[in-house]
């Protein structure tokens, strides 16, 4: 039935030793015998029997001492020790159970001894199973931790290729946030300004981290190529929907900060309210979740509509995942939304808010803030520090060509053509070092042509915050209704003194505008106004507005490469 | 955590009653509640009267049920939501996918 055991019998009485040995052998086990404690210990160390029958009182070394040393030598393995004793006082019997595992009173009963050996063997095997399982679990865990370490190292490379260290960003994030499903990404746009994403995947561990990779790739890739928020959101949603199983999704807020244009675009799907805090007043605009999380909806019904707010110097944006609100203190209370609202209400210096929240959190919770992801963004005049780098492939591309693109109503409605133009122009090595200025000028001229030319929006609307919202609401509606109109880009590339020159003319189907008035308006521009024309004149080497205001041409040049 | 389900007499509607914390621990039980039934209901009602807590895994489980019930054409109502539960559903904009009351 059960396996054959080696049983060590330590008994100073030779007759008893013989009797016990006979019983053990008849039970089907192998008997080893010792005449005193010392001998028993030596025999144990040599033969490693699975079970010990130990006389309590023996010469040289008594049974209690021998039992203690045998247990020590056995380590984690359970070697059951049954004391053989003629002692009857309670204290002595209790001592047997403290040092050993059971006792058997003399005179010996063959049936009882056999049963006790079987019972002790069950106990021994139970312990053995527990130890094996423990070691197996430890091994699995070790594997898992090693895998996570590798995954984290790979992911850190991807995540940290962005610009979370930019001077206008402050953030709080656990080093293992990825495995809590939290994700924080920031990348410079070619036109200056940046995209920032705070995401929170369903669940924990590797399943939560798995969607982060493709999301980060799409976010960085498309931002670098000049795509806008709407395109990135559509692509990320479609990708996550396609690859993630049903029920796994990503709550996220995506932010587009435009330093030049001084606006912020916000899309929140499933994260708690973020906040736009005005620097000059107590005003606090909640950035509310108006969408389903990313990866839930089919691409056809996904809604990438974002909100647009003017952004002033000194304003702050605060984004958070639910880890902050769900932080608990020792008493089990939640940090909660109200504490955060109170902190913001009490805040006097916007520049201190981030520290105040962090301090309040530490004071509330005590030690580390493991599951908290918090990010603060502000506006700075120019945060760009050579955002894009290109490898020089050494092949000079043809520099003598011209092309004309006309984007008509249906295209204007549904896509942003600028990334395509930018990709085309960046084929020209000499323009790559000017990518920032070039893209900013493209963006300004395109928005100008689209908004004022094709859609005939009045930029003086943007005089105050209310008008600002109205302006962008109107923009959305007019664009949706657009049936005709065009924006045309004429691109001409000419070789010049070993280098070259780009001449770009932009026209639109609008009625043109009064250049003098537009210039005057720009001069008096308040902070909320577009500063487009001025920016274009500053960034392009040459810029000419046609007198009817329907077209503009700009030039960029480069010299021979060293 | 206890999840029980009850089909209507005509078998057209299945009501799933959630008690306690509705989180990842309820995963298997919740699936069993709509997979291991003999009827094929047209409508589902999730009664959250006894749900004390709901997390993002629970939202994921609701999406799985929605998928099981036909995706876009699924008819699923979430009823008796406490203010806390309601808030989580609102932040995630789940009212776009489920009837919530």
């Amino acid at each position: 039935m059960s396996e054959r055991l080696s049983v060590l019998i330590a008994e100073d009485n030779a007759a008893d030793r013989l009797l016990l040995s006979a019983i053990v052998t008849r039970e089907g086990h192998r008997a080893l015998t010792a005449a005193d404690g010392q001998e028993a210990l030596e025999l144990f160390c040599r033969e490693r029997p699975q079970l010990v029958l130990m006389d309590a009182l023996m010469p040289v070394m008594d049974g209690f001492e021998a039992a203690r040393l045998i247990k020590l030598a056995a380590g984690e393995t359970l070697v059951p020790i049954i004391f053989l004793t003629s002692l009857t006082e309670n204290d002595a019997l209790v001592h047997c159970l403290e040092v050993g595992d059971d006792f058997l009173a003399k005179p010996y009963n063959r049936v009882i001894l056999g049963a006790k050996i079987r019972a002790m063997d069950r106990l021994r095997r139970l312990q053995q199973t527990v130890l094996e399982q423990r070691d197996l679990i430890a091994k699995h865990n070790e594997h898992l931790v090693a895998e996570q370490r590798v995954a984290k190292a790979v992911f850190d490379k991807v995540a940290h290729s962005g610009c979370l260290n930019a001077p206008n960003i402050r953030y709080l994030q656990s080093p293992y946030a990825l495995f809590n499903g939290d994700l924080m990404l920031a990348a410079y746009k070619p036109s200056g300004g940046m995209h920032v994403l705070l995401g929170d995947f369903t669940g924990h561990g590797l399943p939560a981290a798995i969607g982060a990779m493709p999301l980060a790739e799409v976010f960085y890739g498309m931002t670098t190529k000049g795509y806008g928020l709407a395109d990135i959101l559509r692509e990320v949603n479609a990708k996550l929907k396609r690859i993630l199983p049903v029920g796994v999704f990503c709550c996220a807020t995506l932010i587009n900060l435009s330093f030049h244009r001084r606006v912020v675009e916000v899309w929140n799907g499933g994260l708690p309210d973020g906040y736009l805090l005005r620097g000059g007043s107590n005003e606090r605009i909640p950035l509310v979740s108006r969408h389903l999380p990313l990866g839930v909806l089919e691409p056809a019904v996904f809604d990438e509509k974002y909100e647009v707010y003017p952004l002033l110097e000194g304003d702050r944006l605060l984004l958070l995942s639910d880890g902050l609100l769900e932080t608990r203190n020792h008493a089990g209370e939640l940090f909660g939304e109200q504490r955060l609202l109170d902190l913001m209400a009490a805040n006097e210096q916007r520049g201190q808010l981030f520290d105040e929240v962090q301090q309040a959190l530490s004071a509330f919770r005590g030690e580390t803030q493991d599951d908290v992801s918090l990010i603060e963004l502000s506006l700075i005049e120019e945060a760009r520090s050579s955002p894009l780098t290109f490898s020089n492939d050494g092949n000079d591309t043809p520099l003598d060509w011209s092309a004309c693109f006309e984007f008509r109503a249906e295209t204007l409605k549904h896509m942003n053509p600028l990334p395509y133009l930018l990709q085309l122009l960046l084929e020209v090595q000499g323009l790559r070092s000017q990518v920032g200025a070039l893209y900013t000028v493209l963006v300004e001229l395109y928005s100008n042509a689209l908004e004022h030319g094709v859609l005939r929006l009045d930029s003086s609307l943007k005089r105050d915050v209310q008008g600002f919202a109205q302006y962008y609401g109107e923009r959305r509606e007019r664009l949706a209704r657009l049936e005709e109109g065009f924006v045309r880009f004429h691109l001409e590339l000419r070789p010049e003194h070993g280098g070259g020159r780009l001449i770009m003319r932009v026209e639109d189907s609008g009625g043109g505008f009064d250049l003098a008035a537009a210039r005057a308006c720009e001069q008096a521009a308040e902070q909320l106004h577009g500063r487009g024309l001025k920016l274009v004149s500053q960034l392009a080497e040459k810029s000419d507005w046609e007198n009817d205001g329907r077209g503009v041409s700009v030039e960029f040049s480069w010299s021979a490469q060293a | 955590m206890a999840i029980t389900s009850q089909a209507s007499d005509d078998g057209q509607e299945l009501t799933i009653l959630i008690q306690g914390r509705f989180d990842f621990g309820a995963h298997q039980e919740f699936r069993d509640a709509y997979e291991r039934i003999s009827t094929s209901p047209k409508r589902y009602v999730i009664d959250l009267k006894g749900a004390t807590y709901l997390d993002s895994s629970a939202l994921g489980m609701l999406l799985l049920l929605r998928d099981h019930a036909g995706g876009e054409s699924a008819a699923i109502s979430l009823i008796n939501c406490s203010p806390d539960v309601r808030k989580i559903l609102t932040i995630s904009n789940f009212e776009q996918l489920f009837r919530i009351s």
Side-chain angles (χ1 to χ4, degrees), chain A residues 197-212:
Chain A
L197 179 140
L198 180 65
D200 181 1
F201 280 91
T202 354
H204 286 264
L206 274 182
I210 220 126

Side-chain angles (χ1 to χ4, degrees), chain A residues 202 247 270 289-292 337, chain B residues 56 60 64 87 91-93 96:
Chain A
T202 354
S289 160
R290 304 203 190 282
H291 304 276
L292 280 154
E337 192 178 31
Chain B
S56 67
L64 281 170
K87 180 153 193 191
I91 287 178
S92 314
N93 286 284
Q96 294 179 26

Side-chain angles (χ1 to χ4, degrees), chain B residues 5-57:
Chain B
S5 60
Q6 174 77 51
S8 62
D9 290 341
D10 60 2
Q12 297 285 293
E13 185 172 286
L14 183 75
T15 301
I16 301 177
L17 187 68
I18 314 251
Q19 300 277 352
R21 288 173 67 90
F22 190 16
D23 59 14
F24 193 75
H27 190 77
Q28 195 54 49
E29 235 184 310
F30 186 70
R31 278 184 60 166
D32 288 349
Y34 61 81
E35 282 181 355
R36 297 197 176 176
I37 51 170
S38 47
T39 56
S40 41
K42 300 216 163 25
R43 297 180 308 277
Y44 294 82
V45 176
I46 313 299
D47 189 340
L48 294 159
K49 187 164 45 196
T52 50
Y53 173 84
L54 180 146
D55 73 356
S56 67
S57 315

Side-chain angles (χ1 to χ4, degrees), chain B residues 69-91:
Chain B
E72 294 302 313
S73 62
I76 303 172
S77 311
L78 310 180
I79 63 165
N80 295 322
C81 305
S82 72
D84 284 346
V85 166
R86 180 82 199 224
K87 180 153 193 191
I88 290 166
L89 293 168
T90 305
I91 287 178

